[in-house]
Amino acid sequence: MNKLADLLPGTLDLLVLKAVSLGPLHGYGVLLRIQQISKQFLQIEQGSLYPALYRLEHAGLIASEWGVSDNNRRAKFYRLTRSGQSRLRKETRQWALFSKAVGYALGALPEEV
Amino acid sequence: MLDRLKALARSLLQPRRLDDDTDDEMRFHIEQYRGDLVRNGVAVEEAERQARQEFGNISLTKEACREAEGLLMFDELVRNVNYAFRQLRRSPGFAAAVVLTLGLCIGLNTAVFSVIDAALLRPLPYPELQRLVEVRREMRRGGEFLSTGSQDGYAWEALKAAHSFRVAAMGGTSGVNLGVGKTSVYVQQQRVSAGYFRVLGVPLALGREFDDTEDRGGGANVVVLSNAIWRRVFDGDPSVVGRTILLRGEPYLVTGVTSETFHQRGRVDLWTPLRPSTNGEGGGLNYALVARLKSDATWAQAQTEAHTSGAAAFERRKIPSSVTARMILAPFEQANQASLRERLQILSAAVGVVLLIGCVNIASLMLARGSTRRREMGTRIALGGGPGSLVRQLTTEALVLGFVGGTAGLVLGYLAIEALQMVVGRYGVWQELRLDGIVLLVTALLSLSVSFLFGLAPALQAVHVDVREALVEGGGRGVAGGRSHRLRSILVLAEIALCQVLLVGAALLVHTLLHLQHLDPGFDATNVVTASASLQDARYSESENVNRLYHDSLDAIRKIPGVEAAAVGLHVPYQRWLNSPVRVRSGPESLESESGTSVNYVTPGYFSVLRIPVRAGRVFDDRDTEGSMPVAVINETFARKILKNQNALASYVVGGGEVTRRIVGIVSDVQQQPGLTGSGPITQEPALYVPATQFPSKAFRMAHTWFTPNWVVRAGSRRGEIARGIERAISSVDPLLPVASVRTMIEERDSALKSQRMNAWLLGSLAVLALSLAVVGVYGIVANSVVERTREFGIRMALGSSLRRIIWNAVTPGVLISIAGVVIGGLLAAGSVRLLTGLLYGVKPVDAPTFLATGGTLIVISALASLLPALGLMRLSPASVLRQD
């Protein structure tokens, strides 16, 4: 289990947005999709996923709709809304900047200072 | 944003649905996961277990979801409100007491606030009110000071020429007959000078008001109709303007109709020109002057001009040099409300006190409830209810109570306003009472803040509950004492004290009313009916016509079955009489001296109809005719004050229309409204009676401008029939003469005492309300302490204490509190009753019997209220008490 990366606070929302941006998903699907696209490096605590979904829906970033799953079960599907798309773009840019900055900082050598 | 609103709306509108959905969603998740695990080779039971375990606690997750949606607080609110209603249903007595207390206090407050609003706060319905003024005169002689809005013709003439303001004069309002087809109706006419409506600033709806040529002696007869009478009598026909109508028996040209929005103090149906002058009516203070400042004039300029013009008027009137007189301008608004201000202040103070008592009551009820619920609070804290949720719960309860009580108050207030609307008009409040936005706001703020405060106090107290103490020692095991008990005792004591203040005030006003009602009337008021009609009429401008009307109508009235006797007089007792200067001579040779008296013309039989005792000499009979020697009858006060009891029957008096009359008799005094002395609502004044046959035409005309004469009829008790008979008899003599009103003498008396009646009723009902609230308070504190001390009493009885002693023990605190409250309240009352001084007659403000009687009543009633719950102890069985818990 120690090969798994711990989730930084606040990144779950971003990951959920990214996951549903690739196509409508039900909750369990979101979980699987995040694992898949993070190359199995990230594992989401199952209980914390749903509050995040409800929070994002409440904030109007994603929208939900009842549909039928692959195995013909009734399931609730989430998709990205227009404001969710712009939020995802913004957060992605910020994350890239942040991770680059942290990377620089951590990669700094004594003689460079 | 739109997405967000949609989501919120859905979650609020379908809470149950949402809950189920969340369940479904999570179950789906777990099943999918389990399926995947099974596919990966995990055994079915193990997969089920693992799926559930990894998902975690479903209900916690659900809660977190609801919190994420911002619904958690809403959930708690719904739960709290439900719980609050359940709690209140479980203690209906407590809930009813609080709701009723709040409802009465708030309802009453709303009603009285609306009266204050209509009388004092709401601006008069005239534009640019700040430029509208009343012209008053202030006179000072030695230590005496008089400020009056009454003015004479000299003031009018001097101020009419002012440059900085435009002035209009108003005369009195009197009943007149308006011809409609073949009959007449009795309407209210006010005489005003030209420019009246322009000065008030309300343009007429149709036509024009009078001009200066019409508003002077000998001017054309013109009239302005009120919008209401124009609609009622003339069906709102615009062509009435320019037509002639029959008013006061003469043709009058209608020049205009007022706008629908025009209102003024008192009911007025039409206006005719005042024609102000400096003689006759204008020689005395019979006008009121209203003025509007011109747009380019300042207050200071206007004030200075009023001052200098006023000085000229006083100069012409030859005011004695010992009197300093000054003409001043006062805001019209203020002058209009001055007469009501004092009474409304007392009234609102009283209402404030009742409200205070009500608040104290609720606070004490809430405290009592808080202390009986200590165990519940302790349990909830022990089970993990945080202080925040406890405070929220109790606040919700208080707010629910406040809301229900506030609603009840609003409904009560609305009903009270409906009822008051009809009453207040008779007492000088002429603007419509409205349950308007301000009143609503005040009521709502009041009810919410009051209930919030009370809700919070026990909540804070509850937070400090010592969990262990409440669970182990609380709940019926306490003994007398403790902080909340002291606080509640102080509250109830305050309640009793305030109640005593109100009771004393109300008792003094009731005492005043009873005193006035039982003043010796000076005549026999039983079985006498009076009917009045306006003779301010061109057909009755001559003495001969008036006397023929009286003679013929009295003949017809005497034929009505059941009528014993009938007569006519300008006035009857309990009315305000015509005042007139007279000169008296105690012998043919002696010097004349001038004084003021009230004057009444009467037909023969007037004294016997009213059974006014004759003290000396004779009264009038049919031999006193126009041609016979002029005579007069005086009352005892006239004989004492004006003739100094000297030789009255040999004296002469010049009065009742500048005629020298011989005094032939003295009759007993009757009660009348004062015009001269101004002492009290009814009193005994000097009175001069003259025969109607010897009253000059000019005097008739002047008297009938101000007063409507009265037919007085002594008859059996069938009042309705007699009244109809009188109306028929008068119309058989003159079909164009409408009877204005028919009243009994008792109604005349009540009308003279209406303001004392209103005082006594208003303050009396407030005091009764306060008393009932205080009784609830005392009952509550004793009942609560009985419940709390049940165990103590049980132990005492088991140890051999007698039942009587136990009951005595239970009752004592309530009685002691009420005695202390009465004493403190008595001291407070002694300090504050001087506010009432101006309203009291026949009783001194600090009246020992009144104080003792009200205090005694309060103590007895409190003792009874304490005894009631204590009697419940008679069923107490020591054994069962000791076995409890």
Side-chain angles (χ1 to χ4, degrees):
Chain A
M1 283 292 202
N2 48 9
K3 64 172 178 157
L4 294 177
D6 279 337
L7 214 51
L8 278 173
T11 46
L12 179 59
D13 287 7
L14 180 57
L15 290 171
V16 171
L17 288 180
K18 179 67 194 177
V20 297
S21 76
L22 303 171
L25 291 168
H26 49 68
Y28 185 61
V30 171
L31 194 79
L32 296 179
R33 178 64 52 83
I34 292 177
Q35 282 173 6
Q36 180 209 348
I37 61 179
S38 70
K39 313 238 180 332
Q40 313 295 334
F41 275 108
L42 294 174
Q43 182 140 19
I44 310 298
E45 205 184 304
Q46 299 188 23
S48 64
L49 174 69
Y50 285 92
L53 284 170
Y54 278 66
R55 188 163 56 240
L56 291 170
E57 188 181 8
H58 185 63
L61 299 176
I62 58 178
S64 70
E65 203 161 64
W66 285 91
V68 180
S69 73
D70 301 339
N71 54 353
N72 273 330
R73 292 282 307 274
R74 196 175 93 98
K76 197 169 163 192
F77 285 86
Y78 295 90
R79 61 176 174 77
L80 203 61
T81 64
R82 195 179 289 274
S83 52
Q85 283 167 12
S86 69
R87 172 68 69 90
L88 177 61
R89 270 197 301 278
K90 209 172 90 190
E91 298 263 318
T92 309
R93 259 199 318 277
Q94 274 182 357
W95 178 260
L97 192 67
F98 176 73
S99 85
K100 202 157 79 182
V102 173
Y104 286 149
L106 297 179
L109 297 168
E111 54 269 32
E112 284 176 323
V113 184
Chain B
M1 193 63 214
L2 198 67
D3 293 328
R4 194 172 166 167
L5 280 179
K6 266 194 276 187
L8 184 66
R10 210 183 51 228
S11 49
L12 279 177
L13 288 176
Q14 306 171 315
R16 171 84 18 101
R17 172 84 200 283
L18 192 78
D19 215 37
D20 292 345
D21 282 358
T22 311
D23 262 349
D24 283 357
E25 195 177 3
M26 288 172 188
R27 210 171 301 123
F28 170 76
H29 179 115
I30 291 169
E31 280 168 22
Q32 290 283 319
Y33 188 33
R34 190 193 59 192
D36 285 353
L37 286 174
V38 172
R39 264 192 295 286
N40 289 347
V42 182
V44 176
E45 293 85 42
E46 174 58 16
E48 173 82 31
R49 198 193 60 79
Q50 196 182 338
R52 283 196 184 282
Q53 193 187 15
E54 282 187 34
F55 192 84
N57 185 325
I58 294 185
S59 48
L60 271 182
T61 308
K62 259 165 70 179
E63 190 143 300
C65 287
R66 285 188 71 73
E67 190 172 7
E69 289 205 296
L71 285 178
L72 206 61
M73 277 177 55
F74 180 75
D75 285 353
E76 190 183 351
L77 183 70
V78 170
R79 209 160 52 226
N80 280 344
V81 168
N82 278 333
Y83 185 68
F85 272 111
R86 216 160 53 230
Q87 282 291 325
L88 294 179
R89 268 204 303 275
R90 264 169 52 183
S91 41
F94 164 78
V98 174
V99 167
L100 201 68
T101 309
L102 267 179
L104 284 175
C105 288
I106 292 167
L108 205 72
N109 227 53
T110 310
V112 174
F113 186 91
S114 72
V115 175
I116 294 173
D117 176 57
L120 294 176
L121 303 179
R122 199 180 317 154
L124 295 172
Y126 308 126
E128 285 196 83
L129 212 47
Q130 71 281 5
R131 304 189 75 78
L132 203 58
V133 297
E134 187 191 31
V135 186
R136 299 178 66 81
R137 53 172 68 195
E138 290 180 348
M139 294 192 275
R140 209 179 290 274
R141 175 166 56 192
E144 277 179 77
F145 176 72
L146 174 75
S147 171
T148 172
S150 303
Q151 300 282 4
D152 56 19
Y154 297 96
W156 159 254
E157 287 190 354
L159 291 162
K160 196 167 59 166
H163 297 292
S164 54
F165 51 83
R166 186 191 297 280
V167 68
M170 296 175 270
T173 303
S174 58
V176 295
N177 307 319
L178 170 65
V180 181
K182 288 197 162 51
T183 61
S184 295
V185 289
Y186 178 79
V187 297
Q188 294 297 320
Q189 163 206 255
Q190 186 183 21
R191 291 174 311 123
V192 296
S193 73
Y196 174 69
F197 297 99
R198 195 166 33 171
V199 166
L200 288 184
V202 186
L204 298 186
L206 291 174
R208 58 167 182 89
E209 58 179 309
F210 338 120
D211 58 32
D212 288 334
T213 60
E214 290 153 347
D215 187 34
R216 70 160 73 112
N221 279 341
V222 285
V223 60
V224 169
L225 301 176
S226 80
N227 205 282
I229 202 93
W230 173 60
R231 287 181 192 282
R232 204 178 77 215
V233 175
F234 300 101
D235 300 325
D237 176 7
S239 73
V240 162
V241 176
R243 276 218 312 258
T244 320
I245 58 173
L246 195 66
L247 182 68
R248 287 158 34 182
E250 287 174 274
Y252 271 72
L253 178 72
V254 179
T255 64
V257 175
T258 61
S259 118
E260 205 171 349
T261 55
F262 179 76
H263 293 289
Q264 65 171 49
R265 173 185 287 271
R267 186 192 128 197
V268 175
D269 299 312
L270 42 87
W271 292 265
T272 55
L274 178 63
R275 294 171 185 154
S277 71
T278 53
N279 48 45
E281 184 186 48
L285 297 177
N286 290 312
Y287 303 144
L289 299 180
V290 55
R292 181 176 284 280
L293 268 53
K294 290 187 181 164
S295 52
D296 53 350
T298 64
W299 254 93
Q301 281 171 348
Q303 194 69 260
T304 314
E305 196 172 8
H307 197 98
T308 43
S309 325
F314 294 132
E315 179 75 35
R316 275 185 68 200
R317 185 74 180 97
K318 299 189 183 64
I319 299 270
S321 56
S322 58
V323 178
T324 338
R326 213 160 64 98
M327 204 67 84
I328 60 145
L329 301 181
F332 186 66
E333 179 127 51
Q334 195 182 319
N336 234 303
Q337 296 161 344
S339 61
L340 287 165
R341 196 171 289 268
E342 186 195 19
R343 200 188 312 169
L344 281 172
Q345 275 166 355
I346 291 174
L347 188 60
S348 25
V351 169
V353 169
V354 173
L355 189 71
L356 207 61
I357 293 178
C359 292
V360 167
N361 222 2
I362 293 169
S364 137
L365 281 167
M366 287 287 209
L367 279 178
R369 193 169 158 75
S371 72
T372 52
R373 286 175 72 186
R374 275 165 73 86
R375 214 185 157 112
E376 178 198 336
M377 295 299 141
T379 310
R380 295 178 62 145
I381 291 174
L383 290 178
S389 82
L390 226 58
V391 168
R392 276 200 296 278
Q393 164 64 37
L394 286 173
T395 311
T396 312
E397 268 186 52
L399 285 178
V400 165
L401 274 177
F403 179 76
V404 177
T407 311
L410 215 60
V411 172
L412 278 176
Y414 185 79
L415 296 176
I417 285 176
E418 292 281 290
L420 278 173
Q421 183 78 63
M422 286 179 269
V423 179
V424 292
R426 281 184 250 148
Y427 300 98
V429 178
W430 53 278
Q431 299 214 64
E432 189 197 0
L433 299 188
R434 285 199 293 241
L435 190 72
D436 64 5
I438 306 172
V439 184
L440 268 175
L441 197 70
V442 168
T443 314
L445 282 180
L446 208 72
S447 70
L448 285 179
S449 57
V450 159
S451 59
F452 197 75
L453 276 175
F454 301 148
L456 226 53
L460 292 177
Q461 205 184 19
V463 171
H464 293 124
V465 166
D466 178 336
V467 177
R468 199 194 63 87
E469 186 206 0
L471 288 177
V472 177
E473 292 173 7
R477 298 201 184 184
V479 291
R483 225 162 54 93
S484 94
H485 286 117
R486 265 204 306 285
L487 185 56
R488 289 188 56 210
S489 302
I490 292 170
L491 287 176
V492 173
L493 188 138
E495 202 173 41
I496 300 265
L498 291 172
C499 183
Q500 164 76 349
V501 174
L502 275 188
L503 277 177
V504 166
L508 290 172
L509 290 176
V510 170
H511 196 137
T512 296
L513 181 63
L514 290 177
H515 164 79
L516 292 169
Q517 279 181 347
H518 291 104
L519 282 179
D520 176 18
F523 70 102
D524 178 4
T526 53
N527 292 337
V528 178
V529 173
T530 76
S532 65
S534 167
L535 295 187
Q536 184 184 359
D537 199 310
R539 296 173 303 135
Y540 295 106
S541 59
E542 299 302 319
S543 170
E544 192 193 341
N545 304 335
V546 177
N547 277 297
R548 191 180 312 123
L549 169 73
Y550 291 164
H551 182 268
D552 297 349
S553 59
L554 287 174
D555 268 355
I557 288 171
R558 289 191 189 105
K559 289 190 190 113
I560 301 170
V563 168
E564 291 165 30
V568 177
L570 179 58
H571 307 290
V572 292
Y574 295 124
Q575 290 180 340
R576 193 172 72 78
W577 291 20
L578 171 67
N579 291 314
S580 168
V582 286
R583 300 193 301 279
V584 290
R585 260 187 299 157
S586 42
E589 311 302 321
S590 67
L591 288 169
E592 290 181 347
S593 64
E594 191 175 309
S595 359
T597 180
S598 59
V599 176
N600 192 3
Y601 72 71
V602 298
T603 64
Y606 179 86
F607 299 100
S608 64
V609 172
L610 289 174
R611 296 189 181 146
I612 299 173
V614 182
R615 298 298 185 202
R618 67 166 179 99
V619 289
F620 312 127
D621 56 35
D622 289 335
R623 284 165 297 173
D624 295 310
T625 61
E626 203 187 344
S628 68
M629 180 187 65
V631 291
V633 165
I634 57 173
N635 70 355
E636 291 173 300
T637 301
F638 191 107
R640 194 178 62 245
K641 280 200 179 156
I642 298 178
L643 289 172
K644 317 288 180 212
N645 280 335
Q646 278 173 5
N647 212 6
L649 294 185
S651 300
Y652 291 83
V653 55
V654 183
E658 283 298 301
V659 178
T660 306
R661 304 168 186 276
R662 171 144 194 188
I663 295 173
V664 293
I666 303 178
V667 294
S668 150
D669 292 334
V670 294
Q671 298 292 343
Q672 56 190 88
Q673 290 179 44
L676 297 167
T677 52
S679 58
I682 50 175
T683 186
Q684 294 162 330
E685 295 215 316
L688 178 74
Y689 295 89
V690 300
T693 48
Q694 295 178 350
F695 208 57
S697 300
K698 196 179 157 209
F700 268 125
R701 283 198 294 274
M702 186 135 128
H704 290 166
T705 311
W706 295 315
F707 300 102
T708 54
N710 296 272
W711 279 255
V712 287
V713 179
R714 180 169 291 278
S717 47
R718 290 162 307 164
R719 186 197 153 189
E721 257 172 68
I722 299 292
R724 278 191 298 281
I726 296 172
E727 282 177 22
R728 265 199 304 275
I730 292 177
S731 90
S732 75
V733 175
D734 179 355
L736 284 176
L737 188 62
V739 170
S741 70
V742 181
R743 295 164 146 187
T744 64
M745 284 312 297
I746 303 298
E747 287 166 341
E748 285 286 353
R749 183 192 72 190
D750 289 347
S751 154
L753 299 179
K754 64 184 175 190
S755 117
Q756 283 68 34
R757 248 183 133 64
M758 170 152 127
N759 294 344
W761 266 106
L762 279 173
L763 210 58
S765 35
L766 286 176
V768 168
L769 188 61
L771 183 64
S772 28
L773 290 176
V775 166
V776 172
V778 174
Y779 174 88
I781 194 172
V782 175
N784 194 246
S785 91
V786 165
V787 170
E788 283 181 351
R789 293 172 67 191
T790 304
R791 193 180 168 84
E792 176 203 336
F793 289 140
I795 294 172
R796 284 189 182 203
M797 278 170 83
L799 292 178
S801 198
S802 73
L803 184 63
R804 178 181 298 193
R805 208 177 160 71
I806 295 289
I807 290 179
W808 178 245
N809 265 321
V811 169
T812 318
V815 175
L816 286 180
I817 288 171
S818 60
I819 291 175
V822 162
V823 170
I824 294 173
L827 293 174
L828 282 176
S832 56
V833 280
R834 65 187 167 76
L835 284 175
L836 293 176
T837 310
L839 304 177
L840 300 183
Y841 300 99
V843 58
K844 280 197 284 291
V846 185
D847 179 58
T850 304
F851 277 65
L852 291 177
T854 51
T857 312
L858 199 47
I859 291 172
V860 168
I861 291 180
S862 312
L864 290 177
S866 309
L867 197 58
L868 214 60
L871 287 180
L873 288 172
M874 286 168 71
R875 288 192 304 273
L876 188 69
S877 139
S880 74
V881 169
L882 292 175
R883 268 199 300 274
Q884 269 175 21
D885 301 302

